[in-house]
Amino acid sequence: MDTASLEAVDERMMRRAISLGAGGGRRELPFACVICRDEEVIAESTNAVRRDQDVTRHAEIVAMAQARRVLGRRSLAGCTLYTTVEPCAMCAFAIRESRVARVVYALRSPMMGGHSKWNILDDPGLSRSMPEVFGAPPDVRPDVLARDVERGWFAWNPLVWGIIRMRGCFAVHHGAPPPSGRGRRRTLRSFLPGF
């Protein structure tokens, strides 16, 4: 598939993930994941952490388990994982062990990210040292429709989104400097009258 076609597929699948996250309800954070083989959706999920009262039920983990059941195998070789937020370290290790070929995400997670913070997704040493466990590093494409995901989080809960942004948990615009203290105060003030 040529680059333009691949980018179009990436955007279409990311929009599907964004829509899925928006439909997850108020109890769960709007994380969502879609797993495809070529252009066929194999599995999709939102977070189930609060619903299942299990901190390991991240959208990526749930979707990978569904995909393995659908495909009837442990390996997700040849699959692309689309997720609205950069996979955390736990999810990144599971992605490597599942041998996912490509990872496409929107928002970066400079505090918890398994790509930008911990470099698990790009680390060739994992597969060199333990090839029977970890697959080769997947191709990674960050920042796909990041502004759309940001708008979705804001629509889900403006207060929570403002706090997440203030704390620097997610990097919305790669390369942009963090907001100044004054800007942060204004952000909180817009959500909390009298703050």
Side-chain angles (χ1 to χ4, degrees), residues 1 4 8 13 34 38 40 58 64 70 114 143 148 172:
M1 187 178 300
M13 293 303 170
V34 174
D38 299 320
E40 175 192 6
H58 290 196
M64 284 188 288
V70 167
D143 305 323
D148 293 6
V172 178

Side-chain angles (χ1 to χ4, degrees), residues 160-191:
V160 171
W161 177 245
I163 292 167
I164 287 170
R165 293 248 354 237
M166 179 189 72
R167 291 181 178 167
C169 297
F170 299 150
V172 178
H173 310 296
H174 180 60
S180 67
R182 181 181 294 166
R184 285 185 193 148
R185 195 172 303 123
R186 272 193 232 125
T187 300
L188 280 178
R189 195 175 299 140
S190 69
F191 297 118

